[in-house]
Amino acid sequence: MRRIALLTAVAAAVFAFAPGAAGAGHAWFTSWAQSQDGRADAAVSGQSLRMITHLSQGGDAVRVRFQNTFGTGPLTIGHATAGPSAGGAAVTFSRDLTFAGRPAVTIPAGGEVWSDETRLATRPDSDLAVSMSVEGTAVPGRHGAALRDNYLTPPGSGDHTGDARGDAFTATVDSTYVVSAVDVHNAALRGVVVPFGSSVVDGIGSTNCGPGCTEPGTNRRWTDDLARRLVASSVPLAVANAGVSGTTSAPSCPGMPPSVAGLDASSRLDRDVLALHGVTAVIYYYGTNDLAYGCDAATILDSYRAVFARLQAAGISVYVTPSTPRPGYGDEANLARHEIALFVKRWNTCGGTCSGVVDFDTVLADPLKPNSILPAYDNGDGIHANAAGQQALADFVSLPMLARSGPVLHTMG
């Protein structure tokens, strides 16, 4: 009994004093994220951008990540604000964001910057509008599948970041420009869950909510549904989505399109997972594109092991889902899919290389056509889940399992 008590005390001490843990005086947690995956289709010039983010948890202050990872040149932000969304392009009010105490910042091509702490009370499951005025002309980086409208003023219209009304924001885009993460300050939180994968994480299909119903902006991804479950169950975890459509776990597959080269899991890991704050768990949902692009099981599993080892070395629990259905799989892909499933499910710990299994394949597969999704959950392509399927995935995840994750060992102050 003394040994058990000692181990419990040691474990508690490790968590309490780990960098980024609430007990160490750090209470910053990433509450929303969308990984940059390319460049906008057109330049922005002397105009304002208003990006709508959806927070999984709230707090008493925010800070925002602005990225120019895929920009073609420097991006100058003359002024930036954040405030609660009032619907559409309108905000209830806004607070100025600063960068090392200054209102403006220039982000070099390939660079990024986090704003300073800004006192702003936010709630779980709420929209936060982040606005910026872009000086000069730049082609901004973006996340392609925002699955909601974001807003721009006309070129040359100047600074409208403080406007409460949305009238000046006359153009909409279906990508998220520049803004890639929002942190909240909340001492009650204990970690962040990062779903990490391709289009099945990115939320493709989630706007399909039934005949005649298409509701961009209503946040129906399974990751959003999971965040709402956590809040309703008083589990003090945030959720930050790190999905990028079309990407793979393996660095290269024979049929990989050039558009996703360099966006594999290992290449994205530092930027899209480890750079976030308070991460305690990753749900790893990769493999369907690897198989579709012709990767064999050995190549895919090598990439799994490499990523899992880096995450676990950072003190992050890794929960893995077997590859889910896809009608286009041939015999070789199906054999590889079976081999991957055996690896993932071995001892329910990927043979000791991961922390646990989240068997979304069981949730989605049509028992009569195992290469297809159950009709009630099918977005229509046999690959992606509709809104009902997204909710079913979220409902399948064990909250006690996520609550046991961590400790946080890698967060930056």
Side-chain angles (χ1 to χ4, degrees), residues 278-297:
V279 179
T280 48
V282 161
I283 299 177
Y284 198 80
Y285 195 169
Y286 256 127
T288 58
N289 289 329
D290 300 69
L291 295 171
Y293 299 157
C295 261
D296 59 25

Side-chain angles (χ1 to χ4, degrees), residues 4-369:
I4 293 173
L6 177 61
L7 290 174
T8 301
V10 169
V14 168
F15 186 86
F17 293 100
H26 299 288
W28 285 103
F29 298 88
T30 301
S31 183
W32 171 91
Q34 279 191 343
S35 305
Q36 288 210 333
D37 56 18
R39 288 189 293 273
D41 295 332
V44 295
S45 183
Q47 62 196 108
S48 296
L49 286 56
R50 181 161 284 172
M51 303 291 115
I52 311 300
T53 70
H54 187 74
L55 302 183
S56 58
Q57 292 280 3
D60 57 23
V62 300
R63 59 188 184 189
V64 180
R65 187 190 198 189
F66 296 83
Q67 281 186 280
N68 195 25
T69 302
F70 296 98
T72 57
L75 175 75
T76 297
I77 298 172
H79 183 211
T81 63
S85 170
V91 296
T92 305
F93 63 87
S94 60
R95 298 277 187 267
D96 289 340
L97 299 176
T98 58
F99 307 91
R102 298 183 175 89
V105 67
T106 297
I107 311 172
E112 66 173 67
V113 64
W114 284 87
S115 71
D116 301 329
E117 171 184 344
T118 298
R119 305 297 293 180
L120 176 64
T122 53
R123 297 177 292 103
D125 196 24
S126 67
D127 286 345
L128 180 77
V130 178
S131 307
M132 72 202 84
S133 63
V134 175
E135 297 184 350
T137 300
V139 179
R142 58 98 172 101
H143 178 87
L147 303 184
R148 73 175 312 134
D149 287 337
N150 287 306
Y151 305 94
L152 281 64
T153 63
S157 57
D159 183 5
H160 288 273
T161 57
D163 291 10
R165 292 168 59 102
D167 297 353
F169 294 86
T170 55
T172 59
V173 292
D174 56 6
S175 299
T176 300
Y177 292 173
V178 186
V179 178
S180 64
V182 177
D183 282 1
V184 296
H185 183 269
N186 185 337
L189 295 180
R190 289 296 178 268
V192 178
V193 179
V194 179
F196 186 34
S198 54
S199 56
V200 290
V201 173
D202 210 0
I204 303 304
S206 63
T207 55
N208 178 359
C209 46
C213 171
T214 301
E215 301 182 68
T218 52
N219 307 298
R220 294 174 180 264
R221 297 171 179 86
W222 67 268
T223 59
D224 300 315
D225 295 332
L226 175 60
R228 285 186 281 270
R229 280 192 65 211
L230 289 165
V231 171
S233 301
S234 299
V235 178
L237 298 173
V239 178
N241 188 303
V244 171
S245 295
T247 57
T248 57
S249 178
S252 179
C253 294
M256 179 184 291
S259 59
V260 297
L263 290 173
D264 59 278
S266 184
S267 297
R268 294 205 296 124
L269 186 62
D270 285 315
R271 180 174 68 239
D272 295 342
V273 179
L274 297 178
L276 305 180
H277 299 114
V279 179
T280 48
V282 161
I283 299 177
Y284 198 80
Y285 195 169
Y286 256 127
T288 58
N289 289 329
D290 300 69
L291 295 171
Y293 299 157
C295 261
D296 59 25
T299 301
I300 297 168
L301 293 179
D302 283 346
S303 71
Y304 278 21
R305 293 184 186 97
V307 173
F308 300 170
R310 290 180 60 193
L311 288 168
Q312 292 191 321
I316 299 170
S317 298
V318 188
Y319 304 105
V320 184
T321 182
S323 295
T324 47
R326 194 165 186 142
Y329 291 149
D331 289 347
E332 288 187 8
N334 275 323
L335 288 171
R337 182 178 171 219
H338 177 69
E339 187 173 341
I340 292 166
L342 285 178
F343 167 80
V344 171
K345 295 178 183 179
R346 187 180 185 190
W347 312 333
N348 283 325
T349 61
C350 312
T353 65
C354 71
S355 309
V357 178
V358 181
D359 194 355
F360 285 163
D361 184 38
T362 297
V363 179
L364 292 182
D366 183 345
L368 301 180
K369 298 178 181 178

